[in-house]
């Protein structure tokens, strides 16, 4: 049943993004930004010491951790954790601590794609 919820929730997030572009006529950049901010806001809201996005992850598993909303969650989660551990400087370091692998992969694969593909000019 975990797989079913993961597919349904992850698919629903993708459908929301697609509707934002098709019906709302938003650009992909605007859609991505809104979804990242939604994940960040949901991580910032907590009940009983557990963030709303963490409860969402417990329910949906990969359906909540794979879509772009989890990037916003990781940014805020890392910043708040490091803020508690290291003070105000932790806000800056925490953002990169949890997201550095994803950011590095995006840069490396974008570079490799640019080497292989011919840009249109």
């Amino acid at each position: 049943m975990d797989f079913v919820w993961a597919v349904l929730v992850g698919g629903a997030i993708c459908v929301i993004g697609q509707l934002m572009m098709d019906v709302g006529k938003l650009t992909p950049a605007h859609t991505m930004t809104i979804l990242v901010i939604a994940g960040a806001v949901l991580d910032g809201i907590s009940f009983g010491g557990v963030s709303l996005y963490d409860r969402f992850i417990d329910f949906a598993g990969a359906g909540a951790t794979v879509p772009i909303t989890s990037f916003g969650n990781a940014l805020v989660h890392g910043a708040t954790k490091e803020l508690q551990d290291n003070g105000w400087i932790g806000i800056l370091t925490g953002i990169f601590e949890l997201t550095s692998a994803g950011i590095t992969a995006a840069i490396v694969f974008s570079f490799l794609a640019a080497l292989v593909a011919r840009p249109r000019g």
Side-chain angles (χ1 to χ4, degrees):
M1 199 62 188
D2 291 340
F3 295 118
V4 173
W5 283 119
V7 169
L8 290 175
V9 170
I13 292 171
C14 294
V15 166
I16 290 168
Q18 193 65 47
L19 287 173
M20 290 167 63
M21 289 188 289
D22 292 345
V23 177
K25 303 294 184 200
L26 295 174
T27 65
H30 287 112
T31 302
M32 181 182 67
T33 303
I34 290 169
L35 291 174
V36 169
I37 290 171
V41 169
L42 289 175
D43 189 69
I45 300 171
S46 63
F47 298 104
V50 179
S51 78
L52 193 57
Y53 204 88
D54 285 340
R55 291 179 186 209
F56 188 51
I57 290 172
D58 290 341
F59 171 72
T65 58
V66 172
I68 193 71
T69 52
S70 69
F71 185 69
N73 167 53
L75 290 173
V76 172
H77 200 73
T80 54
K81 181 183 177 299
E82 289 298 313
L83 173 66
Q84 293 171 352
D85 294 345
N86 299 321
W88 290 101
I89 193 69
I91 293 175
L92 296 174
T93 60
I95 288 173
F96 297 115
E97 186 173 319
L98 289 179
T99 59
S100 61
I103 293 170
T104 303
I107 292 169
V108 168
F109 289 119
S110 297
F111 176 74
L112 294 175
L115 290 177
V116 174
R118 291 188 184 173
R120 292 184 222 169

